Amino acid sequence: AQTVTQSQPEMSVQEAETVTLSCTYDTSESNYYLFWYKQPPSRQMILVIRQEAYKQQNATENRFSVNFQKAAKSFSLKISDSQLGDTAMYFCAFDQISGAGSYQLTFGKGTKLSVIP
Amino acid sequence: SAVISQKPSRDICQRGTSLTIQCQVDSQVTMMFWYRQQPGQSLTLIATANQGSEATYESGFVIDKFPISRPNLTFSTLTVSNMSPEDSSIYLCSVSGGDSSGANVLTFGAGSRLTVL
């Protein structure tokens, strides 16, 4: 079974600054997907960014980028130029590519990020 | 990505009663999932709703407590039966859709917040 660990229950960052959220995972799979989801106070879960394990290049989406270290099983999220709208719970998630467990994401416990004006 | 309508958005229920949550998707989808998010916790998969067959439940969840219907490819319901205060949670419907990379990206509804007194 896969596990996802987010060691930072809460973080805060000043507006316009950069913040990094940590995520580690454990799996015996060699091919899988990793995701960061955002859950604002409104509760709607939104996909922020995804990474395919077989790609060495780190994924980027505008102000969001990841640092994917496959050997270390680490998948951190960097938010640049933080904005007030980035205030939310951030969940790291794992999905195996094939087999009985695919499409059934395993989520970490989340990191509550507060952006301070 | 698919648009999901979930209702009720919130409800306050009495102990021992049952409540049915509805999930409507604006397009046909093969796989629909029900997650539970207990207060301050991460998301836990309850079951996969299969069209034309019984739902597939995860460990710790049983059909008698969480009966699920999936009458067609755009609709599903989750019933929380014989509720107790421990069932107070947010229940989220999600659907799986492949993107251009083939990643198993989940789209979520806004959730149904149940409070059991």
Side-chain angles (χ1 to χ4, degrees):
Chain A
Q2 286 71 229
T3 59
V4 178
T5 303
Q6 293 178 250
S7 59
Q8 305 151 315
E10 292 192 43
M11 295 188 72
S12 62
V13 62
Q14 290 289 136
E15 194 174 7
E17 297 295 310
T18 296
V19 64
T20 298
L21 280 58
S22 301
C23 173
T24 58
Y25 59 95
D26 188 25
T27 183
S28 58
E29 301 286 332
S30 58
N31 290 321
Y32 45 87
Y33 295 113
L34 294 163
F35 306 88
W36 280 98
Y37 279 87
K38 167 184 176 181
Q39 187 179 40
S42 65
R43 234 176 33 229
Q44 185 90 41
M45 290 276 286
I46 304 166
L47 177 68
V48 175
I49 198 167
R50 63 187 174 275
Q51 173 80 42
E52 294 88 347
Y54 55 87
K55 290 188 177 180
Q56 292 185 338
Q57 186 173 6
N58 290 323
T60 62
E61 287 286 342
N62 301 314
R63 298 182 295 106
F64 299 88
S65 62
V66 299
N67 183 5
F68 174 49
Q69 302 290 327
K70 189 173 185 180
K73 295 181 180 175
S74 171
F75 183 60
S76 61
L77 174 69
K78 185 172 80 171
I79 305 174
S80 304
D81 185 25
S82 297
Q83 301 175 1
L84 297 179
D86 295 332
T87 293
M89 282 289 288
Y90 286 81
F91 292 98
C92 178
F94 172 102
D95 189 19
Q96 63 187 70
I97 288 182
S98 61
S102 62
Y103 289 93
Q104 297 166 2
L105 271 61
T106 301
F107 287 85
K109 291 186 180 296
T111 296
K112 183 178 181 180
L113 177 68
S114 299
V115 179
I116 302 168
Chain B
S1 60
V3 176
I4 301 174
S5 301
Q6 195 174 331
K7 60 180 181 182
S9 60
R10 60 178 63 226
D11 207 338
I12 299 174
C13 309
Q14 296 299 316
R15 181 195 300 260
T17 63
S18 299
L19 183 81
T20 296
I21 303 166
Q22 298 181 7
C23 178
Q24 179 75 53
V25 189
D26 70 341
S27 59
Q28 292 186 341
V29 294
T30 303
M31 306 186 80
M32 296 180 73
F33 307 92
W34 287 97
Y35 282 85
R36 181 176 72 182
Q37 186 178 20
Q38 293 176 302
Q41 300 298 313
S42 186
L43 283 74
T44 302
L45 181 64
I46 298 172
T48 302
N50 305 307
Q51 197 271 329
S53 64
E54 281 196 358
T56 304
Y57 289 84
E58 298 300 304
S59 176
F61 299 97
V62 295
I63 188 171
D64 290 345
K65 176 66 176 178
F66 298 101
I68 289 171
S69 77
R70 180 85 196 273
N72 56 53
L73 291 175
T74 63
F75 187 77
S76 177
T77 67
L78 169 75
T79 299
V80 186
S81 302
N82 187 25
M83 286 185 284
S84 66
E86 292 71 35
D87 295 319
S88 297
S89 294
I90 298 172
Y91 293 85
L92 295 130
C93 170
S94 69
V95 302
S96 179
D99 64 1
S100 59
S101 72
N104 305 331
V105 176
L106 290 184
T107 301
F108 287 87
S112 299
R113 182 187 294 273
L114 303 188
T115 301
V116 185
L117 303 178

